[in-house]
Amino acid sequence: MPDPSRGLSLALLVLLAAGCSPAAVSGPEGEARYLADYVPTPMEVVDRMLELAEVGNEDVVYDLGSGDGRIPIRAARRFGARGVGVEIEPRLVWFSRRNAAREGVEHLVTFLHQDALAVDLTPATVVTLYLGREGNLLLRPILRRSLRPGARVVSHAFDMGDWVPDRVVRATTHRGEEAVLYLWVIRE
Ligand SMILES: C[S@@+](CC[C@H](N)C(=O)[O-])C[C@H]1O[C@@H](n2cnc3c(N)ncnc32)[C@H](O)[C@@H]1O
């Protein structure tokens, strides 16, 4: 799969430069909270995250704060998984849907213009995160009550406070950038 950031380029830059309105989305207590700026995960790291979660074609992969949609799109393209991206920024939702169509996986992925803290996570078997530590901590009780035993949570760069990870791995991109990835498996 080509790196979605390659064509990111003009279209996305123009869209983002036009400004955004996260407040258009409501959160659990009124207006949604903007938890992290848009910084895409390098594709090599995306692959490592999906491998760490052992994603397969039975999985439903939710990326909370899905940016340009690369994680659900990659999970669908590479593993035949279903994917759901949840993104507060409407232009990124539009861009993700366009990327999914370009990659021929629009039948497998859905992009929701919603607050990551307000979305129903009960269908998820895998949740991916690159949302910052505050976002992770706010999500903890939601993940705990929504996910079934066996579900996996993978976070890029940020831990979950005193939730002890099942695995911690390092991924390195061809440019030498290092990423730390955390895996938790939900238990009874
Ligand atoms: C660091 S980027 C990660 C993008 C993508 N997950 C990746 O790894 O390439 C964080 C994304 O979260 C989005 N975001 C921030 N707060 C959010 C919220 N409350 N609900 C949903 N998305 C949010 C931002 O707009 C941004 O696209």
Side-chain angles (χ1 to χ4, degrees):
M1 165 182 161
D3 182 340
S5 65
R6 212 174 52 194
L8 172 89
S9 54
L10 208 50
L12 184 55
L13 290 178
V14 168
L15 287 166
L16 292 176
C20 62
S21 172
V25 171
S26 41
E29 290 155 18
E31 198 172 285
R33 240 153 109 176
Y34 198 79
L35 298 168
D37 288 336
Y38 172 55
V39 180
T41 297
M43 284 312 290
E44 293 118 306
V45 179
V46 169
D47 278 336
R48 196 70 194 94
M49 291 171 77
L50 298 173
E51 287 160 10
L52 189 58
E54 298 184 11
V55 169
N57 62 5
E58 305 276 287
D59 280 311
V60 182
V61 178
Y62 273 60
D63 186 32
L64 303 182
S66 49
D68 64 6
R70 60 183 54 207
I71 293 179
I73 291 171
R74 185 66 168 170
R77 275 280 298 209
R78 188 168 166 209
F79 299 105
R82 279 178 292 145
V84 179
V86 182
E87 173 55 53
I88 201 170
E89 161 53 58
R91 289 169 182 86
L92 285 168
V93 174
W94 176 88
F95 194 68
S96 301
R97 290 177 182 147
R98 193 192 72 155
N99 286 338
R102 284 189 167 176
E103 296 292 333
V105 294
E106 67 270 48
H107 58 297
L108 288 173
V109 298
T110 307
F111 291 97
L112 305 174
H113 178 215
Q114 279 189 36
D115 180 8
L117 299 176
V119 76
D120 174 19
L121 292 179
T122 54
T125 60
V126 174
V127 173
T128 56
L129 303 168
Y130 185 22
L131 257 189
R133 195 152 190 275
E134 185 203 1
N136 280 7
L137 294 182
L138 290 168
L139 275 165
R140 264 181 16 173
I142 302 170
L143 295 168
R144 184 67 262 174
R145 69 170 176 265
S146 308
L147 298 182
R148 284 161 287 168
R152 287 87 76 205
V153 178
V154 175
S155 175
H156 175 186
F158 301 100
D159 66 19
M160 288 269 188
D162 60 9
W163 270 22
V164 179
D166 289 274
R167 287 189 65 192
V168 180
V169 304
R170 277 166 208 283
T172 309
T173 69
H174 68 279
R175 292 188 183 147
E177 298 154 336
E178 278 235 336
V180 181
L181 306 177
Y182 299 87
L183 168 76
W184 296 267
V185 180
I186 303 296
R187 314 217 188 278
E188 293 288 348

